[in-house]
Amino acid sequence: IAGITQAPTSQILAAGRRMTLRCTQDMRHNAMYWYRQDLGLGLRLIHYSNTAGTTGKGEVPDGYSVSRANTDDFPLTLASAVPSQTSVYFCASSQGTDTGELFFGEGSRLTVL
Amino acid sequence: QKEVEQNSGPLSVPEGAIASLNCTYSDRGSQSFFWYRQYSGKSPELIMSIYSNGDKEDGRFTAQLNKASQYVSLLIRDSQPSDSATYLCAVNSNTNAGKSTFGDGTTLTVKP
């Protein structure tokens, strides 16, 4: 089934540890995104990539990094996790770079203690 | 002021009624507008997109856009219990690198 796969589904992490959330899509979409969703704050864009080899910063990029080595994969790395990064993280993709018609993965729930 | 604001909700309507969800945005240059549905514990799912002033209908859903008033709405006719979810308004905003900025969502409950 075509779509976006995220891993892990859920993770508890000690503060200060490094963590990479994985995201893979098989729809050959050009653009990919990482959002975090927090109660009362909605979905906020962390980083995006318009095409393989390029990345950009969203609304809340601090403490996160991304890479886009190929079309399908867009991992999100927390170099040194802090409790404020406890959230649900959604990876998304879109056919075009400005369409805004996003397809979301199932999410990764991260708890930083 | 938040860039995208929605009714705080929650909104409760009886089965068969019309549910009206509202959204305002601050970036006057925005050109693309979307409604997503998110069931509890699940990921958002695109249900409507609208790009021009006026109404756009898709089944029981109608999106309405008024760029002059910076207002976009979603009407759900003949509401069903399965429509119970959180509805997210998203606007492609120049202040967010042209990417989608989301409202906080309005939770809708349709009571049988």
Side-chain angles (χ1 to χ4, degrees), chain A residues 35 37 50 97 99-101 105, chain B residues 34 36 38 43 49 51 99-100:
Chain A
Y35 282 88
Q37 188 172 37
N50 285 334
T97 58
T99 63
E101 295 185 356
Chain B
F34 310 91
Y36 291 81
Q38 185 175 26
S43 58
S49 57
Y51 304 94
K99 307 308 181 187
S100 286

Side-chain angles (χ1 to χ4, degrees), chain B residues 86-103:
Chain B
T86 296
Y87 289 82
L88 304 169
C89 173
V91 176
N92 273 27
S93 168
N94 292 327
T95 59
N96 194 17
K99 307 308 181 187
S100 286
T101 299
F102 285 80

Side-chain angles (χ1 to χ4, degrees), chain A residues 15-43:
Chain A
R17 299 297 295 269
R18 180 183 180 90
M19 178 71 193
T20 295
L21 303 180
R22 300 184 298 279
C23 175
T24 300
Q25 56 113 350
D26 61 4
M27 297 177 284
R28 308 302 293 174
H29 282 174
N30 291 311
M32 297 187 75
Y33 314 81
W34 276 104
Y35 282 88
R36 60 178 289 175
Q37 188 172 37
D38 304 287
L39 192 63
L41 294 176
L43 281 158

Side-chain angles (χ1 to χ4, degrees), chain A residues 16-93:
Chain A
R17 299 297 295 269
R18 180 183 180 90
M19 178 71 193
T20 295
L21 303 180
R22 300 184 298 279
C23 175
T24 300
Q25 56 113 350
D26 61 4
M27 297 177 284
R28 308 302 293 174
H29 282 174
N30 291 311
M32 297 187 75
Y33 314 81
W34 276 104
Y35 282 88
R36 60 178 289 175
Q37 188 172 37
D38 304 287
L39 192 63
L41 294 176
L43 281 158
R44 292 180 292 167
L45 181 64
I46 304 171
H47 284 288
Y48 65 92
S49 169
N50 285 334
T51 188
T54 70
T55 62
K57 294 181 179 181
E59 305 167 74
V60 289
D62 294 343
Y64 306 95
S65 63
V66 292
S67 61
R68 186 90 182 276
N70 56 62
T71 298
D72 298 341
D73 300 300
F74 190 45
L76 176 74
T77 297
L78 291 67
S80 179
V82 295
S84 62
Q85 292 177 311
T86 294
S87 187
V88 179
Y89 291 86
F90 287 104
C91 180
S93 70

